[in-house]
Amino acid sequence: MKNFLKQFLFLFVLFFLYVYAEDDTTLEKQEFLNLPLSPSKIIYIKNITPTKELNKTIYIGQTIKVTYNLLLFSNAKLISTDFDTTINTKSIKPLNAESEWEIQDDENNEGFQSYQKTYIYKILNKNATIPQIKAIAVSFDKKYQDVAISPKINLDIYNLKNNPKYSGIIADNLKILRTKTKAYDEKSNIMVLELEGQNANLEDFIFPDTKIIKQGIQNIEDNKAIYFCILPKTISSLSFDFFSLPNNQFQTLTIPILVSYDNVAAQDDIKPKNIFLLYSTLFLIAGILILLIVYIFLWRNKWLLLPIFLLSIYLAWHLFYRNDIILQPNQTIKILPTQNSTTLFVVEKPIEAEIIGSHQNFYKIITKDGRIGWIKKR
């Protein structure tokens, strides 16, 4: 019993020390916030973004950068920096609010310490405003506090959605790397395309055509995006506009719909193909032929017929066996073998399908009506 009490007290002390260590900084900040204001200014903050960058027209969906310089005098200590008021996240989205202020090393900075930080914002609404930054410092002797608030920044924001062909993309440059289209069902096709853009909001891309049945972004990485859409078979081409920042005007891109009638999924050209089945089949055939040649010309031993027979049976199974499954209601079929992939369709009633491949934790399946997708292994 004594040992148990000792262990309990030991764990309690450790827990107390952990909580105290976690909250020590917060408690210190709260203590400083109750200090009286400093009789002289010890902290300044100013916007050092080039004026031409903030005075030019900003477009909804565009990201902008605002750089601030913060100065501390008389060996003051920076306590906190935050937005002065609550941000309307439906109008503007800070992308790096949690990043640290960088100390500026300069031998000429005598008597003060300089910090710098660039905030990145995405404009979501015409009424968006740049939030003011509030910085708090405490004097060297920890007897006073001082507050500095950055000046207001007004923006000229323009909405490009008045163009009915606008795809939502604003970019220095945008191009289509490749596309592939395949029959999805009796009435529609599925197209997968890869986009590449410089200084582009690829996450906002959308085909403006109202005939599109379903569409979405699959993945964005290294200025490239994989995108899919399901469209009626009556559509022979798709076109859309993006806004070119260097040219300050819309540019049109057109995609011809060329349907591929092979048995390969529309997204296969994005993922490496699995050629294991092909190689294994060739090895089986080669092994059978070699054993037959040995039996006929070199060694007529009846026991040699046994491996030839077994390999032939395995080859026939390998070539003709169908790995059929029954897809159950509410089972989700995805367009790519990833957890975050967009849903291709949800099974409404039990349907037959064939497993035609696999990738990590997913099976690649094809339904009787020719739809190809991925299901999670169970």
Side-chain angles (χ1 to χ4, degrees):
M1 187 64 179
K2 290 182 177 180
N3 290 334
F4 174 77
L5 289 174
K6 288 181 179 179
Q7 292 178 355
F8 176 79
L9 289 172
F10 177 73
L11 292 174
F12 178 79
V13 171
L14 286 179
F15 176 76
F16 176 79
L17 291 175
Y18 171 78
V19 173
Y20 179 80
E22 286 287 308
D23 294 339
D24 182 58
T25 304
T26 303
L27 291 173
E28 183 183 22
K29 289 181 181 180
Q30 291 177 348
E31 179 184 356
F32 289 146
L33 293 179
N34 294 324
L35 294 176
L37 291 177
S38 173
S40 59
K41 290 294 294 180
I42 58 175
I43 183 172
Y44 291 88
I45 186 170
K46 64 178 180 178
N47 167 29
I48 60 172
T49 311
T51 304
K52 64 177 182 179
E53 294 296 321
L54 298 177
N55 287 343
K56 66 181 182 182
T57 301
I58 307 294
Y59 303 97
I60 294 177
Q62 189 176 353
T63 57
I64 63 172
K65 298 180 180 180
V66 182
T67 303
Y68 294 96
N69 183 236
L70 189 149
L71 301 177
L72 292 175
F73 291 87
S74 304
N75 293 321
K77 179 181 178 182
L78 182 64
I79 298 301
S80 67
T81 56
D82 204 349
F83 300 117
D84 186 38
T85 56
T86 303
I87 297 177
N88 183 357
T89 54
K90 293 183 179 180
S91 296
I92 191 168
K93 180 181 179 181
L95 302 181
N96 66 334
E98 303 300 324
S99 61
E100 300 293 332
W101 288 76
E102 296 182 359
I103 298 177
Q104 304 299 297
D105 294 325
D106 190 344
E107 295 179 356
N108 296 323
N109 290 353
E110 297 181 1
F112 66 91
Q113 180 64 63
S114 176
Y115 293 81
Q116 186 170 302
K117 179 176 178 178
T118 299
Y119 285 85
I120 303 175
Y121 300 98
K122 182 173 181 178
I123 306 300
L124 305 177
N125 189 286
K126 190 173 182 180
N127 299 320
T129 57
I130 300 297
Q132 292 177 275
I133 306 300
K134 181 180 181 180
I136 302 176
V138 64
S139 60
F140 175 72
D141 56 8
K142 299 181 180 180
K143 291 183 178 180
Y144 302 99
Q145 66 159 312
D146 193 15
V147 179
I149 300 178
S150 63
K152 292 183 178 181
I153 300 175
N154 296 318
L155 299 176
D156 180 18
I157 302 174
Y158 187 79
N159 190 354
L160 296 169
K161 292 185 179 180
N162 293 327
N163 178 359
K165 294 184 63 178
Y166 179 49
S167 63
I169 296 291
I170 303 163
D172 289 340
N173 185 36
L174 181 70
K175 59 183 178 180
I176 301 169
L177 297 182
R178 48 185 171 173
T179 68
K180 187 169 185 179
T181 306
K182 181 174 170 58
Y184 176 68
D185 55 29
E186 293 181 355
K187 297 182 179 180
S188 55
N189 295 321
I190 180 171
M191 180 177 67
V192 175
L193 65 150
E194 188 174 11
L195 299 171
E196 182 180 46
Q198 282 74 45
N199 190 27
N201 55 327
L202 294 175
E203 68 278 3
D204 294 331
F205 178 77
I206 185 171
F207 273 119
D209 196 320
T210 57
K211 296 179 182 178
I212 298 294
I213 300 169
K214 190 174 184 178
Q215 58 180 311
I217 292 286
Q218 290 301 298
N219 183 51
I220 299 178
E221 187 176 355
D222 297 331
N223 296 323
K224 295 180 182 179
I226 299 174
Y227 176 89
F228 89 98
C229 71
I230 299 174
L231 63 159
K233 289 187 175 181
T234 55
I235 297 179
S236 59
S237 66
L238 287 173
S239 64
F240 63 89
D241 290 350
F242 78 94
F243 191 81
S244 171
L245 289 172
N247 299 325
N248 198 34
Q249 65 181 11
F250 287 104
Q251 292 187 2
T252 301
L253 295 178
T254 301
I255 306 172
I257 306 300
L258 304 174
V259 181
S260 173
Y261 292 99
D262 54 24
N263 290 324
V264 182
Q267 63 269 26
D268 274 359
D269 58 345
I270 306 299
K271 298 289 182 182
K273 294 182 179 179
N274 185 357
I275 58 174
F276 171 75
L277 294 178
L278 174 63
Y279 283 149
S280 59
T281 301
L282 293 176
F283 279 128
L284 282 172
I285 295 174
I288 293 172
L289 290 176
I290 291 172
L291 289 176
L292 282 173
I293 292 172
V294 171
Y295 176 77
I296 295 173
F297 297 104
L298 298 178
W299 188 32
R300 282 185 170 272
N301 190 317
K302 62 180 181 179
W303 291 105
L304 196 59
L305 295 175
L306 180 61
I308 295 176
F309 176 73
L310 294 176
L311 286 175
S312 299
I313 292 177
Y314 182 73
L315 177 62
W317 175 86
H318 192 69
L319 291 175
F320 301 108
Y321 174 74
R322 287 174 54 88
N323 193 0
D324 292 333
I325 60 171
I326 302 296
L327 300 178
Q328 299 301 321
N330 299 321
Q331 193 165 1
T332 301
I333 313 301
K334 295 180 176 293
I335 190 173
L336 290 175
T338 60
Q339 188 64 36
N340 297 326
S341 174
T342 299
T343 297
L344 197 59
F345 67 93
V346 177
V347 179
E348 296 180 356
K349 59 182 180 179
I351 57 174
E352 294 183 8
E354 180 188 358
I355 296 176
I356 58 175
S358 65
H359 180 76
Q360 295 180 357
N361 294 325
F362 289 84
Y363 285 124
K364 184 179 180 181
I365 57 97
I366 181 171
T367 61
K368 283 192 171 182
D369 58 4
R371 289 182 290 179
I372 297 176
W374 298 84
I375 61 172
K376 196 168 184 180
K377 295 179 181 178
R378 293 184 175 180

